[in-house]
Amino acid sequence: MDARSIREAAPGDLPFLPALEEASDTLLGAAAGMRSAPADLPPAATLPEFAAARGLLVAGWPPVGFARLEELDGQAHLEQLSVHPDAAGAGLGRALVEAALDWARKQGYVSMTLCTFRDVPFNAPFYASCGFDVVPAPDGELAELRQHEISVGMDSLGRRVAMRAPLRR
């Protein structure tokens, strides 16, 4: 599956996304860089949260991957990237990130941020290969998001980091 098969989500896609997110989270269970099991992750987004997303891209039918996009500090924010374990390792995550970056460019954003696990190979190192750099001292809404992640125990699962990619036209 490539970027051409990624599309904006339709209402019929939404019921599949919470279970897809939960399945994707199981990939963290055996991942290097994690201190705790994925069962300790916050619950998957709800249908109303998916429906209210600023942007939502999906791949496949039923969806086997998605990118949930929000806005922070007036810029695009990749809130969640999920790929079903059965579809992992085939480039779908990269295609979704590329589609998300393209979506953000078309919306007129100049950068995209995200928060992820620093030491999980298919998290921060993967995003770095997609053009994201670590934000050493987040501020504004990105800093607030990091504080929220800390307060709900995300950093106890593994070291977290904020990242940003500039969007070149």
Side-chain angles (χ1 to χ4, degrees):
M1 194 168 298
D2 61 26
R4 292 182 306 271
S5 62
I6 295 170
R7 59 187 168 75
E8 294 216 20
D13 294 311
L14 301 182
F16 295 97
L17 302 184
L20 173 55
E21 183 175 342
E22 288 173 359
S24 177
D25 286 348
T26 65
L27 294 170
L28 292 168
M34 292 294 290
R35 295 185 205 124
S36 187
D40 297 328
L41 288 169
T46 63
L47 289 180
E49 288 171 321
F50 281 116
R54 177 75 177 86
L56 190 58
L57 304 174
V58 296
W61 177 253
V64 294
F66 73 84
R68 179 175 153 213
L69 300 146
E70 301 294 349
E71 185 175 301
L72 287 182
D73 296 316
Q75 295 308 311
H77 179 77
L78 181 58
E79 177 62 29
Q80 181 68 33
L81 178 73
S82 291
V83 173
H84 194 278
D86 293 344
L92 181 56
R94 186 169 304 277
L96 280 162
V97 170
E98 290 171 3
L101 291 167
D102 188 52
W103 174 91
R105 281 185 205 95
K106 289 177 182 172
Q107 300 298 313
Y109 294 112
V110 297
S111 69
M112 178 181 285
T113 58
L114 60 83
C115 296
T116 193
F117 290 103
R118 180 180 194 103
D119 302 320
V120 174
F122 54 88
N123 277 206
F126 163 74
Y127 290 116
S129 76
C130 294
F132 287 82
D133 295 310
V134 171
V135 178
D139 58 6
E141 292 176 327
L142 188 57
E144 291 173 17
L145 177 58
R146 281 295 298 122
Q147 286 304 311
H148 173 73
E149 288 183 343
I150 292 167
S151 74
V152 298
M154 293 287 291
D155 286 60
S156 67
L157 303 175
R159 292 190 318 159
R160 301 275 298 167
V161 65
M163 301 182 83
R164 177 176 288 119
L167 300 175
R168 295 175 184 88
R169 292 190 179 265

